[in-house]
């Protein structure tokens, strides 16, 4: 018996390991057993095996800019520190389209703009279509990844008065290329009632992505953990994502991130932020359980880059992106930087023993080239400036 075999046996994981090594799907009960394991290295060993089987030794990143067009929102999600109700004048903002186009045009090197905002009660549907067209005019080669499922439902049902499919088709015609995965939170209805009362149901969130996927398009998905949910709620959440992926194959990746405990309506519960142990455990289990997902992204804005770097040994194969101007997590108390340079991301990836490579919005690797038996990215390294 090898050293790792002994560790797996000691943690009661031999049967699960056999299924992982033979690419068999885990049951929900087996997923819960993984959450009961305290040996992080045992979980990392299994998750790393899946990562390597799917992605080799490459870890990716994307050059992107975040634009939050407005924080005015008719919802009052209890975990959110970003939104301002229409009557709350202090702290409100709404960008004009020309300003967003200017920012995109000046963001050298980016291949993606990532756009989300609040559910604004008064912005017309034309604001959103003109925004996308203006960004594409400013940068025709740019991929526009925009809107959460609840934003799409808001635009369809309240603003445009059209079906979900009709709304998505109009946005796609304007230049929308991908939906974001935000708003999934935890799918269990009792949890949603506690942390985001009034938001769309799990079925409504899934239906927006199902509709988009059936149009031949792709999106990401998320999971917000570390608040009032149980481990069973996490597995239920992952199972529903896995089932939709079986149906549509439309998710490019999952991006799990932890609840930020400051400046929101759940602060009174005294919940601390999830530990690095919990972050790594959750990422590893997502990698093991989601057998039909190709990519697991570590959102360094939430994790911090050092933990995200360690996560590359716990099933993660992607560090997200340069992420300029992120507001949602930072308004909730995140102390991470507002952006990363390509040089910093590539250094973190190399220090973790992986090969860095730029990707696009759809997780396709860019500028691959062979050098002395290794695949390396043909991307110029920046000299400390955000790109």
């Amino acid at each position: 018996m090898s050293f790792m075999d002994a560790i797996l046996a000691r943690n009661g994981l031999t049967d699960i390991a056999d299924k992982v090594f033979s690419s068999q799907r885990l049951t929900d009960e087996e997923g819960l057993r993984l959450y009961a394991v305290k040996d992080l290295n045992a979980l990392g060993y299994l998750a790393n095996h899946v990562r390597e089987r799917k992605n080799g030794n490459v870890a990716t990143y994307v050059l992107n800019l975040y634009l939050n067009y407005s924080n005015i929102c008719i919802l009052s999600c209890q975990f959110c520190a970003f939104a301002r109700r229409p009557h709350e004048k202090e702290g409100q903002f709404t960008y004009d389209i020309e300003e967003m186009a200017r920012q995109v045009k000046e963001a050298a090197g980016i291949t993606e703009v990532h756009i989300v905002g609040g559910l604004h009660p008064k912005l017309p549907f034309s604001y959103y279509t003109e925004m996308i067209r203006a960004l594409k005019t400013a940068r025709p080669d740019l991929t526009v990844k925009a809107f959460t499922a609840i934003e799409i439902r808001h635009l369809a049902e309240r603003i445009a008065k059209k079906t979900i499919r009709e709304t998505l088709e109009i946005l796609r015609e304007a230049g929308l290329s991908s939906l974001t995965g935000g708003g999934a939170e935890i799918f269990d209805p009792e949890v949603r009632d506690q942390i985001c009362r009034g938001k769309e149901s799990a079925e409504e969130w899934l239906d927006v992505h199902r509709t988009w996927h059936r149009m031949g398009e792709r999106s990401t998905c998320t999971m917000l953990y570390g608040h009032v949910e149980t481990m069973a709620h996490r597995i239920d959440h992952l199972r529903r994502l896995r089932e939709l992926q079986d149906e549509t194959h439309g998710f490019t990746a999952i991006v799990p991130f932890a609840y930020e405990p400051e400046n929101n309506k759940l602060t009174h519960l005294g919940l601390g932020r999830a530990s690095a142990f919990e972050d790594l455990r959750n990422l590893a289990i997502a990698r093991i359980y989601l057998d039909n997902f190709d990519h697991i992204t570590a959102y360094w804005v939430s994790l911090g880059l050092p933990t995200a770097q360690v996560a590359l040994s716990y099933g993660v194969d992607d560090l997200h992106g340069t992420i300029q101007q992120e507001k949602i997590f930072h308004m909730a108390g995140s102390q991470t930087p507002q952006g990363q340079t390509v040089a910093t991301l590539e250094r973190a990836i190399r220090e973790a023993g992986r090969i860095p490579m730029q990707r696009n919005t759809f997780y396709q690797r860019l500028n691959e080239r062979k050098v002395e038996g290794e695949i390396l990215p043909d991307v110029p390294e920046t000299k400390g400036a955000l790109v």
Side-chain angles (χ1 to χ4, degrees), residues 92-370:
Q92 284 187 8
F93 70 84
T94 300
Y95 280 138
D96 62 53
I97 292 172
E98 288 184 2
E99 171 61 17
M100 288 187 285
R102 182 193 65 77
Q103 291 188 36
V104 162
K105 197 165 187 177
E106 292 178 358
I110 62 170
T111 63
E112 170 191 292
V113 59
H114 181 118
I115 305 169
V116 296
L119 307 189
H120 199 297
K122 294 184 178 180
L123 288 175
F125 189 47
S126 59
Y127 172 90
Y128 301 90
T129 55
E130 289 172 11
M131 172 177 66
I132 296 171
R133 290 193 178 100
L135 298 181
K136 292 292 288 185
T137 298
R139 296 283 294 277
D141 58 336
L142 200 64
T143 299
V144 176
K145 179 177 182 178
F147 311 127
T148 61
I150 189 62
E151 288 173 88
I152 295 298
R153 300 198 76 88
H154 173 72
L155 293 178
E157 296 166 3
R158 292 176 176 266
I159 307 300
K161 308 295 186 182
K162 298 181 181 295
T163 67
I164 297 296
R165 171 119 193 181
E166 288 171 338
T167 301
L168 289 170
E169 286 175 343
I170 293 169
L171 293 170
R172 181 172 66 176
E173 189 278 332
L176 179 67
S177 295
S178 177
L179 292 184
T180 75
E185 323 313 358
I186 288 290
F187 285 144
D188 180 83
E190 293 184 1
V191 173
R192 294 183 85 77
D193 188 58
Q194 293 181 68
I195 70 168
C196 55
R197 189 176 303 119
K199 210 167 195 176
E200 86 275 49
S201 67
E203 291 74 20
E204 289 171 331
W205 187 97
L206 292 163
D207 186 60
V208 169
H209 287 267
R210 177 183 291 109
T211 302
W212 182 245
H213 295 169
R214 286 178 175 173
M215 291 168 58
E217 306 299 344
R218 310 295 298 280
S219 62
T220 51
C221 58
T222 57
M223 177 170 72
L224 178 71
Y225 61 91
H227 41 85
V228 301
E229 88 287 359
T230 66
M231 300 305 107
H233 292 144
R234 295 188 194 182
I235 288 295
D236 172 71
H237 186 93
L238 294 175
R239 175 183 50 77
R240 297 194 204 201
L241 293 173
R242 192 171 71 175
E243 288 174 349
L244 183 56
Q245 185 75 329
D246 278 341
E247 178 185 340
T248 67
H249 307 289
F251 289 124
T252 52
I254 183 172
V255 190
F257 43 73
Y259 159 71
E260 295 288 343
E262 296 183 19
N263 306 323
N264 61 64
K265 295 177 182 178
L266 296 181
T267 302
H268 71 280
L269 297 177
L271 301 171
R273 194 209 174 278
S275 66
F277 177 96
E278 190 60 41
D279 290 329
L280 295 172
R281 178 173 73 159
N282 207 55
L283 288 163
I285 292 172
R287 177 62 287 169
I288 297 165
Y289 183 89
L290 294 174
D291 58 291
N292 55 1
F293 276 65
D294 288 332
H295 306 287
I296 308 292
T297 287
Y299 191 47
W300 64 258
V301 169
S302 171
L303 297 168
L305 190 57
T307 301
Q309 180 187 46
V310 175
L312 293 172
S313 296
Y314 288 84
V316 164
D317 66 283
D318 180 76
L319 290 188
H320 208 292
T322 47
I323 310 180
Q324 299 177 46
Q325 299 190 44
E326 195 283 332
K327 290 185 174 67
I328 294 175
F329 276 78
H330 287 89
M331 290 174 73
S334 176
Q335 299 300 310
T336 57
Q338 283 285 349
Q340 299 286 357
T341 66
V342 170
T344 300
L345 291 174
E346 291 202 348
R347 181 167 59 249
I349 291 169
R350 289 193 181 99
E351 288 175 350
R354 306 282 176 256
I355 300 168
M357 193 166 296
Q358 185 185 347
R359 65 164 173 88
N360 64 15
T361 299
F362 307 104
Y363 285 74
Q364 297 166 324
R365 299 170 184 175
L366 302 180
N367 303 318
E368 288 187 356
R369 59 189 174 93
K370 292 274 189 175

Side-chain angles (χ1 to χ4, degrees), residues 6-26:
I7 289 179
L8 293 171
R10 186 180 65 196
N11 287 280
L13 292 175
T14 299
D15 59 328
I16 290 179
D18 288 342
K19 294 183 76 171
V20 171
F21 295 146
S22 58
S23 301
Q24 296 181 53
R25 172 163 289 184
L26 298 191

Side-chain angles (χ1 to χ4, degrees), residues 66-84:
Y66 266 39
L67 284 179
N68 300 120
Y69 56 89
S70 177
N71 68 339
I72 299 173
C73 187
I74 60 175
L75 293 181
S76 296
C77 294
Q78 287 80 354
F79 68 86
C80 182
F82 169 74
R84 297 292 183 271

